[in-house]
Amino acid sequence: MTMPRRGRGPVPVLAAVSLLVAGVLAGAAPAAAADPPHRVDNPYVGARVYVNPEWAAHAAAEPGGAAVAGQPTAVWLDRIGRIEGKDGVLGLREHLDAALAQRADLVQVTLYDLPARDCGRRAPQGELSIGDIARYQAEFIDPIVEILADPRYADLRIVAFVEPNSLPNLVVNTGTRYTATPACDEVLARGTYLDGIGYALSRLGTVPNVYPYLDISHHGEVGWPEDSAALTALLLQAATTAGSTAANVHGFVANTANYSVLHEEYFRADDVVNGQPVYQSRWVDWNPFVDEVPYTRHLRALLTGAGFSPAAGVVVDTSRNGWGGPGRPTGPATAGDVNRYVDGSRIDRRAFVQNWCNQAGSGLGPRPAAEPEPGIDAYVWVKPPGESDGATGSPNTGRPYEPLCDPYYVLPRSSPYDTGAMPAAPPLGEWFPAHFRQLLTNAWPPV
């Protein structure tokens, strides 16, 4: 769990969806014959990206959802049972077979099952305990790599997003910070995440058509210089652990399952209002970055300078960072107070930029696209829009409770109702119709 830094001074596949996806593909150019497998600099260029029919079924069933149900989203492998699939849910091999049937040539998968996963978050917990690194390697990573290495899938470009938000947790939720958790401190001391990610990269690196992307979080979590420097060091350490080398990392993914806007159009971190710099405002909180693309370009420069490939690219998750609707500003605020200026000008309308759970007012962001702007390999939808970030709960119920998913939780030194979380949310990964409908209504660009 990431807390605000203020005061620091710093489903079965439905036939209807099969028809929908077929319709989307029919509107595209005919697929060319598969080229022999070879590495490319940017796997998204010229690629037809796989549309997950399970997510498409949910989206198409919502009012107006058919307008976006043909968009590609990542397949999340967040527990061992997801690999084979069960109870009508597709397993990894079935997704890859579906991609071949769609004549897709790029599939996105998210690996998300480290031992003691999300050590900074109170709930939900992952399935593996902190001592289960051997299980992670043998029962999670090895079966995934075995499937991906099947020659049947050799012509698919497989983009693997590796363990989102794991290493950033070891930066912001350890040591003397008030956000520190015993679990994160222990994970850092044991090297659990480093060993797990290093092993994953070393095994993924044996499959020529797999493109691993490491998570670099977002500007509102690790944009501060001391944090981005620490994250850079951890990323390099993980990439050179357990038999891996930095060459196994094809690129980096930013804003995974988060809500940070690509560009704040109406103010900058170096603006000055009545003699007071914007970076001293409550919302910016001394962060040199107020939006995502400048942060990703900066961090990529740090990472390539530290030893990652100069050709490493960056993709940004835009699944939920649109922030459209009637509350979207149309120009800079005119208020003289620096806090009112920032709050009136910013497109990102979270009370705190660190808020991450089922955010009220959020909207679909730009649709997936290759090379959408200089320095960015692709906009991608890593988080399937409409899938919950975590369950709404109440404390003292005997069940796992995550305060930042509770719309009534009062953050330290702040006012009520500022988690921004929507009420009545189901558990992590389950379909949340109210959230999807809000995302559709507030999409930017509009749907």
Side-chain angles (χ1 to χ4, degrees):
M1 175 177 63
T2 303
M3 302 288 282
R5 310 169 64 108
R6 290 173 62 182
R8 74 180 248 154
V11 215
V13 181
L14 302 180
V17 174
S18 298
L19 291 173
L20 169 68
V21 173
V24 171
L25 294 176
D35 293 328
H38 65 282
R39 301 291 289 182
V40 295
D41 290 337
N42 182 349
Y44 289 90
V45 171
R48 176 176 292 135
V49 188
Y50 172 57
V51 177
N52 180 345
E54 294 178 312
W55 176 81
H58 284 301
E62 301 293 343
V68 297
Q71 294 293 339
T73 56
V75 174
W76 283 65
L77 303 175
D78 59 358
R79 61 184 72 102
I80 292 167
R82 289 284 192 194
I83 301 171
E84 292 300 326
K86 61 180 180 178
D87 299 328
V89 176
L90 298 181
L92 175 59
R93 189 179 295 277
E94 292 169 304
H95 278 294
L96 297 175
D97 289 340
L100 295 178
Q102 286 182 18
R103 298 189 298 162
D105 47 23
L106 189 151
V107 177
Q108 303 168 108
V109 296
T110 303
L111 279 55
Y112 185 54
D113 198 30
L114 275 172
R117 188 188 73 199
D118 288 327
C119 61
R121 215 174 268 183
R122 300 185 196 180
Q125 301 294 322
E127 68 176 346
L128 300 178
S129 67
I130 197 168
D132 283 339
I133 189 66
R135 284 194 65 198
Y136 175 78
Q137 295 171 344
E139 298 180 36
F140 186 68
I141 296 300
D142 287 351
I144 289 172
V145 172
E146 181 181 357
I147 292 171
L148 298 182
D150 188 322
R152 294 186 60 216
Y153 310 125
D155 290 329
L156 289 172
R157 302 173 190 175
I158 301 169
V159 171
F161 303 116
V162 179
E163 298 295 348
N165 207 41
S166 53
L167 298 177
N169 257 321
L170 303 189
V171 174
V172 301
N173 291 312
T174 54
T176 60
R177 300 181 187 232
Y178 79 88
T179 56
T181 69
C184 283
D185 282 328
E186 185 176 358
V187 165
L188 181 60
R190 287 194 183 203
T192 306
Y193 288 0
L194 298 173
D195 290 340
I197 290 173
Y199 184 82
L201 291 172
S202 69
R203 296 288 285 116
L204 293 169
T206 65
V207 187
N209 56 311
V210 171
Y211 297 79
Y213 281 70
L214 279 182
D215 181 72
I216 57 172
S217 190
H218 67 110
H219 80 277
E221 184 170 36
V222 287
W224 291 263
E226 67 272 24
D227 294 341
S228 54
L231 178 60
T232 296
L234 278 173
L235 287 163
L236 185 62
Q237 189 176 355
T240 54
T241 296
S244 180
T245 70
N248 287 324
V249 177
H250 191 81
F252 307 97
V253 55
N255 203 41
T256 304
N258 215 276
Y259 297 84
S260 297
V261 300
L262 295 170
H263 300 279
E264 284 290 356
E265 300 175 19
Y266 305 122
F267 81 103
R268 295 163 41 122
D270 56 0
D271 286 349
V272 177
V273 178
N274 287 340
Q276 188 174 6
V278 157
Y279 62 77
Q280 294 180 3
S281 67
R282 286 188 300 264
W283 197 80
V284 179
D285 193 18
W286 302 85
N287 194 329
F289 300 100
V290 298
D291 44 18
E292 207 57 17
V293 169
Y295 161 76
T296 60
R297 290 171 177 157
H298 170 75
L299 201 60
R300 180 190 176 280
L302 292 181
L303 290 162
T304 56
F308 287 99
S309 169
V314 181
V315 300
V316 183
D317 187 354
T318 62
S319 57
R320 306 181 302 177
N321 69 346
W323 296 104
R328 185 180 178 91
T330 57
T334 57
D337 173 79
V338 68
N339 290 309
R340 284 182 290 172
Y341 170 76
V342 170
D343 289 342
S345 301
R346 58 185 170 91
I347 295 169
D348 185 337
R349 298 196 295 279
R350 288 176 287 181
F352 295 100
V353 72
Q354 295 91 352
N355 286 351
W356 54 265
C357 193
N358 300 319
Q359 291 298 285
S362 55
L364 298 173
R367 274 38 112 201
E371 296 185 318
E373 59 179 300
I376 304 298
D377 278 0
Y379 297 156
V380 293
W381 282 8
V382 183
K383 175 72 173 183
E387 292 188 2
S388 176
D389 294 320
T392 301
S394 301
N396 306 317
T397 62
R399 296 190 300 271
Y401 169 66
E402 169 51 62
L404 292 188
C405 293
D406 179 0
Y408 308 110
Y409 177 68
V410 180
L411 293 175
R413 301 184 299 279
S414 63
S415 60
Y417 313 111
D418 60 5
T419 65
M422 296 179 65
L428 174 69
E430 292 189 12
W431 188 249
F432 187 7
H435 199 196
F436 179 81
R437 295 171 188 178
Q438 172 196 271
L439 291 170
L440 198 62
T441 297
N442 293 337
W444 193 269
V447 173

